[in-house]
Amino acid sequence: MSIVFNVVLPIITYNQLTDHGWGDFSALAVSGLWSVVDTVVYLLWHRRLDEFAIITMIFLALTLVVTGIGPHSTRLLLVKDSAITGLFGVVCLVSLATPRPLMFFMGRKFGTDGTKEGIAHWNEMFARFPGFRKTLKTITLVWGAGYVIEAAVRIALSYVLSTDAMVGVNSVLSYGMPVALITWTITYSKRARAKGEAATAAAEAEPAPAAA
């Protein structure tokens, strides 16, 4: 459903509107509203807010703000849209300087059952195990760098490709990047977990020191 709302429908909407005489800027702005619909459907279906829904709403609000300011240039709108995703990458990188990186909170949502016990266990693991902290910081670093690079590429392409082409590129990258990052995160997390479990098992297998 998310792919339909964020990739298929924006491309179809843009093409249909421009075919019926709409300007590039207006068609691009309207086609971006499908992301808002996707978020509303998610909230109505699940009847709850989570970290990702909140982040999505914040960045949608930022998109509306930056769309409404400045000259109504199609090229500028594409650049602003790319800058929003780059901002998320910057937030990830800045959070590395805080006690808990951004992916600590994202991981806690998907790495626990949401109960008080599960959340407390997650917090305890982060406090006790340096390897666990390193894993979350590495994931945050990769996500931050990935989105900053993606934004830079999209901004550069906005000045090279036509508007029609960039609509398709934006739709593909908007899902291609998170799919790539999620796939890498799952693989890296499994390897880090296996390494941690092996180290724990090896430590437990060591014979206790003889009494003096």
Side-chain angles (χ1 to χ4, degrees):
M1 183 181 297
S2 292
I3 293 177
V4 171
F5 277 118
N6 291 277
V7 178
V8 179
L9 290 178
I11 294 176
I12 293 176
T13 301
Y14 175 84
N15 290 333
Q16 287 295 316
L17 292 178
T18 52
D19 288 344
H20 286 78
W22 284 55
D24 287 340
F25 179 87
S26 300
L28 194 60
V30 172
S31 64
L33 294 178
W34 284 114
S35 296
V36 180
V37 176
D38 181 41
T39 302
V40 172
V41 170
Y42 176 88
L43 295 178
L44 293 176
W45 184 269
H46 294 278
R47 298 181 181 275
R48 62 184 173 83
L49 282 172
D50 59 16
E51 290 88 343
F52 279 106
I54 293 173
I55 289 176
T56 299
M57 293 173 67
I58 290 174
F59 278 92
L60 283 174
L62 289 174
T63 302
L64 293 176
V65 170
V66 299
T67 300
I69 63 177
H72 284 189
S73 164
T74 302
R75 194 69 60 189
L76 186 58
L77 181 59
L78 291 170
V79 170
K80 288 178 179 178
D81 186 46
S82 303
I84 293 296
T85 61
L87 178 60
F88 175 76
V90 171
V91 171
C92 286
L93 297 178
V94 171
S95 72
L96 291 171
T98 65
R100 293 178 175 180
L102 184 61
M103 288 304 159
F104 166 85
F105 302 99
M106 300 295 100
R108 187 170 64 183
K109 171 179 174 54
F110 293 103
T112 71
D113 54 8
T115 62
K116 291 182 178 180
E117 294 77 11
I119 293 175
H121 178 65
W122 181 271
N123 294 340
E124 182 183 4
M125 289 177 62
F126 186 82
R128 288 183 57 189
F129 301 110
F132 187 68
R133 294 194 295 271
K134 180 182 178 182
T135 297
L136 291 179
K137 289 181 179 179
T138 301
I139 293 174
T140 304
L141 174 62
V142 171
W143 276 68
Y147 271 108
V148 168
I149 294 173
E150 184 240 23
V153 170
R154 288 171 66 176
I155 290 174
L157 291 178
S158 297
Y159 288 95
V160 176
L161 301 178
S162 65
T163 302
D164 290 348
M166 275 308 301
V167 170
V169 170
N170 277 346
S171 298
V172 171
L173 286 179
S174 66
Y175 264 79
M177 178 57 70
V179 166
L181 289 173
I182 290 172
T183 301
W184 173 84
T185 299
I186 292 174
T187 303
Y188 174 75
S189 298
K190 287 182 177 180
R191 290 177 179 175
R193 181 176 181 176
K195 183 178 179 180
E197 291 176 347
T200 300
E204 293 176 349
E206 291 181 0

